Amino acid sequence: MTKGTVKGVIANMVTVAVDGPVSQGEICYIETGGDKLMSEVIKVVGSDAFVQVFESTRGLKVGSPVEFTGHMLEVQLAPGMLSKNYDGLQNDLDKMEGVFLKRGQYTDPLDQDRIWDFTPLVKVGDEVLGSDWLGSVEENHQPLKIMAPFQMEGKAKVKSIVPAGQYKIKDTIAVLTDENGNDINVNMIQHWPVKFAMTNYKQKPRPFKLLETGVRTIDTFNPIVEGGTGFIPGPFGTGKTVLQHAISKQAEADIVIIAACGERANEVVEIFTEFPELVDPHTGRKLMERTIIIANTSNMPVAAREASVYTAMTMAGYYRSMGLRVLLMADSTSRWAQALREMSNRMEELPGPDAFPMDLSALIANFYGRAGYVFLNNGKVGSITFIGTVSPAGGNLKEPVTESTKKVARCFYGLEQNRADKKRYPAVNPIDSYSKYLEYPEFAEYINGTINDAWIPKILKLKTRMQRGKEIAEQINILGDDGVPVDYHETFWKSEVIDYVILQQDAFDEVDAVTPIARQEEILDMVTAICEKDFQFENFLDVVDYFKKLINICKQWNYSAYQSEQYNDYKKQITEMLNSAK
């Protein structure tokens, strides 16, 4: 192994003089005060290696010995990760002692002694490729696959496979013979470098299948798809966390991974305390059964913060290779970008806008590109849907991280302070927000086949009405109620119907929190019928009085259990109000 000595220390960046070959991205350990500090090589110049340390470097001295491992930052992937709380380096936080993390303390992310009920899926003589399924186990009611090594090149033959029975993750469950005649012993553990995307699939088409979240402002107005990408920017207090919880709890996903990247410690504690209490509406059991939390708070070293999002994405790729639907939520990618900026500045690289790295857009695009909908080698499908939050300073959506993310994420859910102040939750701006999937012919074909071919045209018309309503609201504010024609008031109040009935939703109400797509279809049809009716009002007071009553009934309709007697009664009242109006 290559060794070296510390030559210089600048905060978490350490210069090491090496006595042999090292590669960028390689992991090394620096000895200081009896501790071994895990570090990553980020730059090599001649015989000097610049490494970022994942721990505090306090007390580190020039001349401290360094030992290089010969491999990159990797995660261990195996059954037993669900319901776990990890840090960005995949240390099991539940195995740590005390309130604060101790420097140089690393834990095994997996339970080596747990017994798993294994069922083989191949037989002797079968040919397999890397990541092909060899067998299956069950964890927390989720069917997990044991796969051929991801790094394996070419085809291999199954030389032996163990019978169905109970095994530990380190037990050899199969022996494969590669094209060169070498035997490969396979257990349940995979190793994969976090900075590299997994490409162990046959095809990666453009995603098209609607991902139901139960949130109307997303599903109806700005839909996201399985394997799609989106991001939620917004200032403090606009409801990012509640919206994330709603999507995580309700979305049609098999596995949920939450990456708390550089958030304040109190917010991460909220995730640890609240998330395990959430009930999964699909199963009735705890949501934590199919969830993994990766936590890195803002007071942890920036290097570990940068690693956390890559660790989370690599875990998501592991489950996608099993043919599962994975939802990955990162909060927030702004803190990740700040970590990139800090390390870039320490290396004295040429700064870009706001001192972020010049290649920030490329880094964000590369990361978002790892999500997607894929066809595996066996024809099955898997997906990673990635939704990141962005915390722009002062709510400035023109800053570099938001602008760079806008270029690559297909869905933009901009949270607005003004809507939050008016208690119009979710505070997603209906005009600035968008979903580019509405423009995809594959998505239109899917919607036409599963819902109806009028769905997308209706949505686009309502979006136009919201824009027109905003313009008229500004005119009314300037000219007064009497200063604009009555039909202007009618147009404005029709946009308010869209806002109150479709866009606003009570995340804490048992019924209104989750709206199934069939119910969203009925709501969309009803709101469209209201907006397309040509009323004959005599003055603006009649407009206000009529629409306030109508909105009140519609809100009660939203709070009624779907297809219940009360639900049908409110629907009848709305229809009668429409028919009786002039």
Side-chain angles (χ1 to χ4, degrees):
M1 291 291 181
T2 300
K3 296 184 182 297
T5 54
V6 173
K7 191 176 175 182
V9 182
I10 306 174
N12 280 80
M13 194 180 76
V14 176
T15 308
V16 179
V18 297
D19 64 2
V22 296
S23 60
Q24 188 164 332
E26 188 174 345
I27 293 298
C28 63
Y29 287 91
I30 304 173
E31 289 188 29
T32 176
D35 296 324
K36 285 191 173 184
L37 309 184
M38 189 176 180
S39 314
E40 179 188 22
V41 177
I42 53 175
K43 187 178 178 181
V44 180
V45 179
S47 60
D48 289 343
F50 296 85
V51 304
Q52 59 177 354
V53 186
F54 295 121
E55 304 273 8
S56 168
T57 54
R58 180 169 293 180
L60 183 60
K61 298 175 182 177
V62 172
S64 298
V66 183
E67 188 174 302
F68 292 82
T69 61
H71 65 77
M72 303 180 74
L73 178 61
E74 295 179 337
V75 289
Q76 293 185 57
L77 306 167
M81 296 195 301
L82 297 181
S83 305
K84 288 291 183 70
N85 300 317
Y86 292 117
D87 72 356
L89 304 177
Q90 209 196 4
N91 292 302
D92 189 343
L93 295 176
D94 296 325
K95 293 179 182 176
M96 299 280 190
E97 295 178 357
V99 178
F100 297 99
L101 302 181
K102 295 176 182 176
R103 188 171 74 167
Q105 184 184 14
Y106 306 108
T107 62
D108 193 328
L110 304 171
D111 186 350
Q112 306 288 349
D113 298 321
R114 184 172 173 181
I115 302 293
W116 298 92
D117 290 317
F118 175 79
T119 304
L121 297 177
V122 294
K123 58 185 183 299
V124 175
D126 286 352
E127 286 191 339
V128 293
L129 297 167
S131 80
D132 277 1
W133 303 347
L134 304 178
S136 67
V137 299
E138 188 175 288
E139 180 183 1
N140 295 353
H141 307 280
Q142 288 291 337
L144 305 184
K145 303 298 186 294
I146 307 304
M147 295 167 278
F150 289 168
Q151 292 93 341
M152 190 177 75
E153 295 181 0
K155 289 184 178 180
K157 275 194 174 182
V158 179
K159 185 177 180 180
S160 67
I161 182 83
V162 296
Q166 295 188 326
Y167 303 91
K168 297 179 182 179
I169 56 174
K170 281 196 171 179
D171 292 341
T172 300
I173 55 101
V175 178
L176 307 179
T177 304
D178 66 15
E179 293 173 335
N180 299 320
N182 301 317
D183 285 348
I184 305 168
N185 292 327
V186 180
N187 57 26
M188 299 188 194
I189 304 174
Q190 299 275 1
H191 292 86
W192 189 263
V194 298
K195 296 289 178 74
F196 283 83
M198 290 183 184
T199 55
N200 45 6
Y201 46 79
K202 187 187 294 183
Q203 191 182 0
K204 190 177 182 183
R206 199 153 66 167
F208 63 91
K209 191 176 180 183
L210 175 68
L211 177 72
E212 292 183 38
T213 65
V215 181
R216 294 190 293 270
T217 190
I218 294 178
D219 293 353
T220 300
F221 244 58
N222 299 299
I224 192 166
V225 297
E226 278 185 28
T229 55
F231 77 115
I232 308 171
F236 178 77
T238 51
K240 288 196 293 290
T241 304
V242 175
L243 185 56
Q244 271 192 316
H245 277 201
I247 296 170
S248 304
K249 184 171 68 172
Q250 298 154 198
E252 294 283 333
D254 300 309
I255 305 292
V256 179
I257 300 176
I258 306 291
C261 173
E263 283 301 294
R264 298 175 185 86
N266 62 319
E267 293 183 25
V268 177
V269 168
E270 280 183 19
I271 293 176
F272 282 140
T273 54
E274 292 178 12
F275 222 84
E277 298 302 318
L278 294 178
V279 176
D280 187 344
H282 303 295
T283 64
R285 298 186 297 272
K286 295 296 184 184
L287 179 64
M288 197 64 195
E289 282 187 6
R290 56 185 180 92
T291 301
I292 302 172
I293 296 176
I294 313 289
N296 264 91
T297 57
S298 53
N299 59 335
M300 290 181 178
V302 292
R305 188 190 308 175
E306 186 219 356
S308 61
V309 292
Y310 288 107
T311 299
M313 183 61 83
T314 305
M315 289 181 177
Y318 170 66
Y319 289 108
R320 179 174 66 180
S321 302
M322 300 179 187
L324 297 175
R325 299 169 297 177
V326 185
L327 174 66
L328 173 56
M329 311 284 286
D331 187 11
S332 85
T333 53
S334 292
R335 309 279 189 266
W336 168 51
Q338 287 167 10
L340 294 172
R341 174 172 64 184
E342 199 163 323
M343 296 312 301
S344 174
N345 292 346
R346 284 173 188 167
M347 289 196 297
E348 300 179 353
E349 292 179 347
L350 186 67
D354 287 6
F356 283 104
M358 287 291 285
D359 59 347
L360 178 67
S361 292
L363 289 167
I364 292 175
N366 183 53
F367 185 75
Y368 272 77
R370 291 173 66 170
Y373 183 89
V374 300
F375 287 101
L376 305 175
N377 295 329
N378 58 7
K380 304 290 186 182
V381 297
S383 64
I384 299 174
T385 307
F386 178 59
I387 300 177
T389 65
V390 177
S391 307
N396 174 26
L397 299 185
K398 298 293 182 185
E399 54 89 42
V401 181
T402 307
E403 286 292 308
S404 298
T405 310
K406 255 187 174 182
K407 295 173 184 175
V408 293
R410 303 289 91 187
C411 294
F412 171 68
Y413 303 116
L415 297 178
E416 186 181 39
Q417 189 68 59
N418 187 39
R419 282 185 67 82
D421 292 342
K422 292 177 180 177
K423 300 294 184 282
R424 296 192 175 196
Y425 289 109
V428 177
N429 185 310
I431 293 166
D432 293 342
S433 302
Y434 58 78
S435 169
K436 293 183 179 177
Y437 296 112
L438 288 171
E439 303 167 7
Y440 287 11
E442 302 96 325
F443 179 72
E445 186 180 337
Y446 174 81
I447 292 296
N448 294 346
T450 54
I451 304 177
N452 60 63
D453 53 8
W455 176 271
I456 294 177
K458 283 179 181 177
I459 293 170
L460 297 177
K461 284 182 181 178
L462 294 190
K463 281 176 171 281
T464 304
R465 287 186 179 278
M466 288 300 297
Q467 176 67 45
R468 183 70 179 131
K470 181 187 177 185
E471 293 168 357
I472 289 173
E474 291 170 353
Q475 292 183 37
I476 292 173
N477 285 337
I478 295 169
L479 302 174
D481 290 329
D482 293 326
V484 297
V486 175
D487 60 326
Y488 274 39
H489 285 278
E490 182 184 323
T491 302
F492 165 72
W493 276 98
K494 283 178 177 177
S495 72
E496 288 289 273
V497 170
I498 300 168
D499 197 334
Y500 277 98
V501 183
I502 295 179
L503 302 181
Q504 293 181 46
Q505 197 167 349
D506 190 344
F508 299 97
D509 181 77
E510 190 175 336
V511 174
D512 198 34
V514 189
T515 308
I517 206 71
R519 180 169 186 162
Q520 291 190 46
E521 186 181 0
E522 285 194 30
I523 294 172
L524 179 64
D525 290 343
M526 183 64 76
V527 170
T528 301
I530 294 169
C531 290
E532 291 184 348
K533 185 174 175 64
D534 189 15
F535 296 93
Q536 300 294 323
F537 293 108
E538 294 183 4
N539 55 63
F540 76 88
L541 292 174
D542 291 343
V543 179
V544 175
D545 184 55
Y546 177 84
F547 277 103
K548 279 188 175 180
K549 289 178 182 176
L550 184 63
I551 287 171
N552 184 52
I553 298 172
C554 288
K555 293 286 283 183
Q556 298 306 315
W557 186 42
N558 278 345
Y559 283 114
S560 305
Y562 185 49
Q563 300 291 25
S564 65
E565 186 179 338
Q566 190 181 34
Y567 175 92
N568 294 326
D569 181 53
Y570 281 122
K571 186 176 180 180
K572 184 180 177 184
Q573 287 184 45
I574 297 168
T575 306
E576 287 174 353
M577 249 193 110
L578 271 180
N579 294 336
S580 63
K582 291 182 183 178

